[in-house]
Amino acid sequence: MDPVMKREIILENYQNPMHRGLVEDSSYIKVNTNNESCIDNLDVQYKIVDGVIEDIRFDGEACAISTSATSVMIRSFIGKRVEEAKEILKNYEAMIEEEEYDPSILGELNVYEETYLQPNRKKCALLPFASFHKVLDQIEK
Amino acid sequence: MNREDFEILKTGIIYFDNGATTLKPKPVVDAIVDYYTNYTANAHRGDYDNSLKVDEKYEAVREKVKMLLHCEKSSEVVFTSGATDSLNRIVFGFMKYYLKPGDEVLLTKAEHASNVLPWLELEKEIGIVVKYIPLTSTNEVSMDNVRSSITNRTKVISIAHITNVLGDVRPIAEIGKLCKEKGILFVVDAAQSVPHRKVDVQEANIDFLAFSAHKMLGPTGVGVLYGRYELLNQLHPTVLGGGMNATFTSDGDFTWKSLPSRLEAGTPNIAGVIGLGAAIDYLLSIGMDTIQKYEADLRHYLLTELQKIPNVVLYNEKIASSNIAFNLKDVFSQDTALYLNHYHICVRAGNHCAKMLKDELHVNNTCRISLYFYNTKEEVDTLVRVLKNSEDIFRVIL
């Protein structure tokens, strides 16, 4: 992907992220990512009905990469079955960790394909997905 | 000054994270290498030449610390793994036995985690009450606030001499005097002050004090616990083993050695202590007053330059040490630090282990510049130029 376009997508998702702001609704599962990082602090809410991710909301303070990656993740996940989201998660993590992955299922998340070039940003790019791990821990218990 | 002694500076980095740890000058590295290369032996053990030499070198550092802090006796100086270790020993080796349920300990919300969490744990364990001296509008400790926080249950005041985020300097001599009058024990976290200025434990009536070697040119993994002799002599060893016992028998009887050996169980960090000694020699050869003055002038220059940049928000303009906490308007502190890293400028972003301070500062995270004597006006000029051009920050970091 063209580097200028990648930067534009990341910046747009940082400055105008999707679904920022939490809702008061007990049908959402709420998780926090603070223990994954001392500095970024994101609350993420997932609404999952019959195995389908119907909605995700988030709020909090985090760097440009974490915030934008949360927004792009939300775009990618909404409407997907949990099993499909797990497949995206697996391939996204492999991409960030420089392992083999299938770019064809990552869509817009491919904008983070070169994050590995800045190793100190890997954690930032993975942070929103840590919230999904926490949700999976809860629903698969 | 003295930049030629710091090999790492030749790589071109601008190191502004001295509150986290400092760079190491050649004489410190050489002293450590000399021990490992030329006279390796354990301390307090053998009768051969190298072993005696180790003893002499190791104990000489205790004398240097005594001189540095103006202690009454060198046996008031205990080598630990760092300020965190020292503070934990004060709390769990002394305060746990000295304090009673309901006794009050005064801290502030600007303290480092290592001077908060041991106290909160002791609060759970034995029912002491942790209270916080309110900070002023500029987040400092005033004598009025100290006085008004003291009740007849106050037994301890435990605060940093200089805080690690904002770098405000507490009036420790006045607080120490007040503590002495009121029979309150005074514990000082001096990790951010001993590297930068003279600290006199007797003049300030300090009962316990902690600092780390690595924040003052020395190696990591070594620090000092100072305690006034009568109190330190009551501090229970929290680590038991070789080198600290006088006798032990199979029926369960044991006796401890006298101070300071009693509180240094196991093989000590000999290389680390020797490195600390070289660091003290190095600092004193420059002179603590010279260092303090140089840093104050450099900070003033940096502050004046930063005040001219419209999108820089400053959080501690008026303090009298060498830190500056700032943010770029509407930029997350970590993004600012990553941007500066692109220009090889090292600063810290975050809450700096002072997680309660956000209640007072009304901001969760800041970038911190912490200066030392090897920083220069030229380095400040580079930082200022980079910050002035930060409108392209996201092009640089994304």
Side-chain angles (χ1 to χ4, degrees):
Chain A
M1 202 186 290
D2 171 49
V4 176
M5 194 196 274
K6 276 198 285 194
R7 191 187 301 134
E8 284 309 312
I9 292 173
I10 294 173
L11 196 54
E12 173 59 26
N13 277 281
Y14 171 55
Q15 288 170 336
N16 300 297
M18 188 175 184
H19 288 193
R20 181 169 216 147
L22 302 177
V23 289
E24 290 280 340
D25 185 338
S26 60
S27 66
Y28 284 75
I29 302 171
K30 184 175 166 190
V31 291
N32 179 277
T33 60
N34 198 207
N35 64 346
E36 308 297 324
S37 145
C38 198
I39 178 164
D40 302 283
N41 188 3
L42 294 178
D43 287 315
V44 192
Q45 290 177 308
Y46 289 76
K47 182 170 185 172
I48 298 172
V49 180
D50 297 331
V52 175
I53 301 172
E54 285 200 346
D55 193 21
I56 308 176
R57 315 272 325 171
F58 86 102
D59 210 350
E61 260 196 317
C63 70
I65 291 281
S66 284
T67 305
S68 65
T70 305
S71 172
V72 180
M73 180 192 79
I74 290 173
R75 283 179 205 284
S76 310
F77 276 10
I78 289 180
K80 297 271 189 332
R81 299 198 61 78
V82 170
E83 292 310 313
E84 292 173 284
K86 276 165 81 170
E87 210 42 40
I88 293 172
L89 169 78
K90 199 173 92 187
N91 280 280
Y92 179 82
E93 289 180 335
M95 174 179 81
I96 300 295
E97 298 292 356
E98 290 180 86
E99 291 157 10
E100 258 186 67
Y101 71 101
D102 175 6
S104 71
I105 70 162
L106 289 181
E108 212 174 38
L109 285 166
N110 280 305
V111 296
Y112 300 100
E113 67 187 351
E114 285 187 327
T115 303
Y116 72 90
L117 294 173
Q118 300 181 74
N120 51 0
R121 314 239 49 191
K122 279 185 182 178
K123 230 181 151 175
C124 312
L126 290 172
L127 191 75
F129 291 83
S131 75
F132 189 51
H133 273 293
K134 290 184 183 197
V135 168
L136 290 176
D137 284 349
Q138 286 191 30
I139 61 177
E140 290 175 356
K141 228 191 277 178
Chain B
M1 14 177 189
N2 295 53
R3 290 175 63 84
E4 62 284 359
D5 289 333
F6 295 83
E7 194 65 26
I8 196 172
L9 291 174
K10 293 175 190 156
T11 64
I13 61 161
I14 295 180
Y15 189 76
F16 284 150
D17 195 17
N18 295 288
T21 196
T22 61
L23 307 179
K24 317 306 171 195
K26 194 165 183 301
V28 168
V29 178
D30 286 350
I32 294 167
V33 171
D34 186 34
Y35 163 70
Y36 280 131
T37 311
N38 298 316
Y39 62 98
T40 304
N42 211 325
H44 314 305
R45 298 291 195 278
D47 293 321
Y48 48 94
D49 291 349
N50 278 349
S51 173
L52 290 174
K53 184 172 176 182
V54 168
D55 277 358
E56 278 169 26
K57 293 265 190 186
Y58 185 86
E59 290 306 320
V61 181
R62 215 183 294 279
E63 291 297 325
K64 291 179 210 275
V65 175
K66 175 195 163 193
M67 189 173 67
L68 183 73
L69 299 178
H70 193 222
C71 312
E72 201 186 332
K73 301 179 174 80
S74 59
S75 54
E76 295 174 323
V77 173
V78 176
F79 295 117
T80 65
S81 74
T84 298
D85 185 20
S86 304
L87 288 163
N88 273 270
R89 291 191 200 203
I90 293 163
V91 173
F92 296 111
F94 182 87
M95 297 300 174
K96 186 173 172 175
Y97 305 94
Y98 173 78
L99 295 175
K100 302 282 172 290
D103 284 350
E104 293 174 3
V105 174
L106 291 176
L107 316 175
T108 77
K109 287 188 178 175
E111 300 309 309
H112 188 278
S114 57
N115 189 28
V116 177
L117 295 176
W119 295 108
L120 295 181
E121 176 63 21
L122 194 66
E123 186 173 47
K124 277 190 190 163
E125 279 187 28
I126 67 167
I128 60 163
V129 179
V130 173
K131 291 188 161 184
Y132 303 97
I133 301 165
L135 301 177
T136 64
S137 59
T138 51
N139 299 302
E140 292 172 276
V141 170
S142 69
M143 284 312 294
D144 284 347
N145 286 356
V146 174
R147 278 193 207 93
S148 62
S149 301
I150 292 174
T151 72
N152 54 12
R153 302 300 308 259
T154 307
K155 291 292 185 311
V156 181
I157 294 179
S158 184
I159 56 171
H161 181 187
I162 299 179
T163 59
N164 72 311
V165 183
L166 298 181
D168 54 308
V169 184
R170 273 73 180 271
I172 56 165
E174 280 179 82
I175 299 172
K177 185 163 173 274
L178 182 64
C179 284
K180 196 176 181 186
E181 286 165 16
K182 303 248 180 201
I184 294 168
L185 293 184
F186 189 30
V187 180
V188 175
D189 166 8
Q192 299 289 348
S193 63
V194 167
H196 300 276
R197 59 176 63 206
K198 273 186 188 148
V199 175
D200 186 323
V201 291
Q202 295 189 71
E203 190 183 273
N205 285 302
I206 294 169
D207 294 302
F208 289 104
L209 175 140
F211 69 88
S212 295
H214 72 94
K215 292 188 198 292
M216 52 184 290
L217 312 179
T220 53
V222 67
V224 164
L225 158 59
Y226 159 81
R228 196 151 54 74
Y229 190 88
E230 302 74 41
L231 301 173
L232 193 66
N233 205 24
Q234 298 169 50
L235 193 145
H236 292 232
T238 47
V239 184
L240 312 182
M244 54 78 69
N245 67 80
T247 61
F248 60 93
T249 58
S250 57
D251 60 11
D253 269 353
F254 49 78
T255 55
W256 304 146
K257 281 188 180 167
S258 56
L259 288 178
S261 306
R262 185 195 308 154
L263 300 174
E264 293 179 6
T267 295
N269 184 349
I270 299 168
V273 168
I274 287 168
L276 168 62
I280 294 172
D281 288 344
Y282 193 96
L283 289 171
L284 294 182
S285 74
I286 301 174
M288 297 314 294
D289 290 340
T290 307
I291 291 171
Q292 187 180 338
K293 168 91 174 48
Y294 180 88
E295 289 175 10
D297 290 347
L298 187 60
R299 183 187 190 273
H300 178 72
Y301 178 70
L302 169 60
L303 180 69
T304 311
E305 292 302 306
L306 290 179
Q307 283 168 334
K308 294 177 194 162
I309 310 177
N311 61 329
V312 167
V313 184
L314 295 160
Y315 298 99
N316 62 342
E317 289 172 75
K318 293 199 160 48
I319 61 104
S321 70
S322 46
N323 282 13
I324 289 191
F326 77 99
N327 274 323
L328 286 173
K329 233 174 244 164
D330 302 323
V331 179
F332 192 59
S333 63
Q334 193 183 16
D335 288 328
T336 306
L338 288 158
Y339 169 69
L340 294 176
N341 176 55
H342 187 81
Y343 300 95
H344 313 295
I345 299 171
C346 313
V347 303
R348 180 137 302 216
N351 50 47
H352 316 288
C353 293
K355 296 196 180 197
M356 299 185 296
L357 184 61
K358 62 177 184 288
D359 300 351
E360 309 284 330
L361 210 53
H362 309 298
V363 58
N364 286 334
N365 296 299
T366 55
C367 285
R368 179 186 68 181
I369 298 164
S370 45
L371 302 170
Y372 213 14
F373 60 82
Y374 41 68
N375 292 127
T376 63
K377 283 189 175 176
E378 290 71 28
E379 290 178 326
V380 167
D381 290 340
T382 303
L383 170 80
V384 167
R385 195 174 59 244
V386 169
L387 288 176
K388 275 183 179 160
N389 293 329
S390 61
E391 72 275 4
D392 69 346
I393 180 166
F394 292 109
R395 195 185 56 75
V396 173
I397 65 167
L398 292 177

